[in-house]
Amino acid sequence: MKRKRDVFAMIRQLGKPTMFLTLSANETRWPHLLKILYKLSSRYSGTDLHDVMQQLSALQRATLVNEDPVTCCIYFNKMVNVIMQLLSSSKYSPFGEYNVIDYFKRIEFQHRGSPHAHILLWLRNDPRESISEGMPLTIRLIDRLSSTSVEDLPDSYGNQVHKHTFTCFKRNEKQCRFNIPFWPMDQTRVLIPISSDDTRRDQLKRHCTKLREALETKVFDTFAEFLADNNCTYEYYLDVIRSSLNRPTVMLKRSMTQSWTNPFNSWIAKTLSSNMDIQFILEEFSCAAYVVEYVINRIEA
């Protein structure tokens, strides 16, 4: 209840958050953590650290992590705190002019015991534009701080590629509850839901289902090929997406090869060497309330 009051107080004081981050741990791929665990492990005492670290198998790495979950959690928490300190710097922030002015952090644990962090961020120079499909300053901020391109994360891009698991459908959903694959897009834009009295609504929703099936089951070399195969003009394609939305939504620029990629910030993803997700909050009430409701529900759970 205290944490619930904290986040409500921050929204009253600071207004809507700018973005919502999810940061995951990747303990078996963090060399510095593995060295710490190796030094602390009794089974490897007396063995030369430098010679063995390069030879540890995946099973040995996992064993080191499983034997000392407390150290792993402390390490993850300190790593997240250092990342937030750097992002909050007014001079050296990787976010540049959009440095963090405040944040709300919540660390949770997955069923396998690994921690992950959910963080609401309030950024300096958030343009707070009125909601419309023309928000140039907001689009500039989004393009500056997020990416789905392999060129921005050449060494660990695979961490960001989604693969369906049972959690995608655990509530008996017919499609992935994370709405993946994402819609390919020629440029970053904001789309607003189609009007409820639009007579094309049912037809557009049926076409939306077909387009999702095509993204799931077929491979297309280009965006134009995808539209042609599904008998879509570009404007009709945007209307199809609008029919599937419940609130104004950011659609990131994506090629056909990036439809399965979680959006990321390249600096955070490189520093963390693990999966992350970044979502931008547009509205003072509906989008912010959605994110806050999610955080509060997790706190109460």
Side-chain angles (χ1 to χ4, degrees):
M1 291 301 295
K2 181 179 182 300
R3 297 296 282 157
K4 181 195 291 190
R5 290 193 294 269
D6 287 344
V7 72
F8 275 130
M10 293 178 74
I11 291 173
R12 284 196 300 270
Q13 293 292 321
L14 302 170
K16 78 170 183 69
T18 309
M19 65 170 66
F20 181 49
L21 285 181
T22 300
L23 307 180
S24 299
N26 194 7
E27 299 96 338
T28 60
R29 299 295 181 89
W30 287 341
H32 187 249
L33 171 62
L34 290 172
K35 289 180 180 179
I36 295 171
L37 296 174
Y38 184 86
K39 290 179 180 179
L40 294 174
S41 176
S42 59
R43 71 171 61 194
Y44 296 113
S45 60
T47 313
D48 184 80
L49 177 66
H50 178 75
D51 293 338
V52 175
M53 284 306 299
Q54 303 299 323
Q55 303 172 16
L56 288 178
S57 66
L59 177 60
Q60 289 172 320
R61 291 168 184 258
T63 300
L64 285 172
V65 171
N66 290 335
E67 288 180 340
D68 197 346
V70 174
T71 298
C72 293
C73 293
I74 292 172
Y75 185 90
F76 176 74
N77 188 50
K78 288 183 178 292
M79 176 179 284
V80 172
N81 286 342
V82 169
I83 288 174
M84 296 313 302
Q85 286 177 5
L86 291 172
L87 294 180
S88 301
S89 169
S90 59
K91 293 184 178 180
Y92 307 108
S93 173
F95 281 7
E97 63 185 292
Y98 303 112
N99 63 294
V100 175
I101 58 176
D102 212 336
Y103 65 92
F104 176 90
K105 180 182 72 172
R106 172 73 180 174
I107 290 185
E108 302 173 358
F109 292 85
Q110 300 163 337
H111 290 298
R112 63 189 176 93
S114 185
H116 62 279
H118 295 302
I119 310 173
L120 291 170
L121 301 181
W122 284 262
L123 303 187
R124 193 179 307 280
N125 297 319
D126 181 343
R128 299 180 184 272
E129 294 175 294
S130 299
I131 302 300
S132 72
E133 293 197 356
M135 303 174 69
L137 298 179
T138 301
I139 297 299
R140 178 178 178 270
L141 180 152
I142 293 169
D143 282 337
R144 173 76 182 276
L145 300 184
S146 66
S147 176
T148 58
S149 173
V150 66
E151 286 79 13
D152 292 327
L153 195 63
D155 297 327
S156 55
Y157 188 75
N159 291 333
Q160 297 301 130
V161 178
H162 178 82
K163 299 178 180 64
H164 287 328
T165 66
F166 75 95
T167 61
C168 297
F169 311 97
K170 69 178 183 179
R171 299 168 187 164
N172 297 319
E173 290 92 342
K174 294 183 179 179
Q175 67 181 45
C176 176
R177 65 190 180 96
F178 305 111
N179 295 317
I180 302 175
F182 296 103
W183 297 111
M185 198 65 56
D186 65 332
Q187 65 185 46
T188 300
R189 59 172 66 237
V190 175
L191 292 183
I192 293 177
I194 200 166
S195 172
S196 59
D197 58 3
D198 193 311
T199 57
R200 304 171 301 154
R201 190 177 181 85
D202 291 339
Q203 175 193 351
L204 290 169
K205 285 190 172 184
R206 287 193 295 270
H207 209 147
C208 178
T209 301
K210 293 180 180 179
L211 286 175
R212 283 209 170 275
E213 288 178 0
L215 283 176
E216 286 263 13
T217 59
K218 297 181 180 180
V219 176
F220 301 96
D221 293 329
T222 65
F223 184 43
E225 180 185 343
F226 169 65
L227 293 179
D229 187 75
N230 290 279
N231 299 316
C232 274
T233 64
Y234 184 66
E235 284 304 319
Y236 184 79
Y237 171 68
L238 295 181
D239 282 340
V240 167
I241 299 175
R242 291 183 183 106
S243 73
S244 69
L245 303 178
N246 296 319
R247 58 180 60 85
T249 304
V250 174
M251 311 300 296
L252 294 180
K253 179 180 179 180
R254 293 177 184 275
S255 67
M256 296 306 302
T257 59
Q258 297 164 359
S259 293
W260 295 83
T261 304
N262 288 315
F264 58 88
N265 173 268
S266 58
W267 181 83
I268 297 177
K270 289 174 183 176
T271 302
L272 196 64
S273 296
S274 182
N275 176 263
M276 67 161 294
D277 185 67
I278 184 170
Q279 300 175 40
F280 293 91
I281 302 171
L282 298 176
E283 291 183 290
E284 186 71 34
F285 298 105
S286 65
C287 280
Y290 170 76
V291 175
V292 172
E293 179 186 1
Y294 173 81
V295 174
I296 290 173
N297 287 341
R298 301 298 294 182
I299 291 172
E300 292 179 336

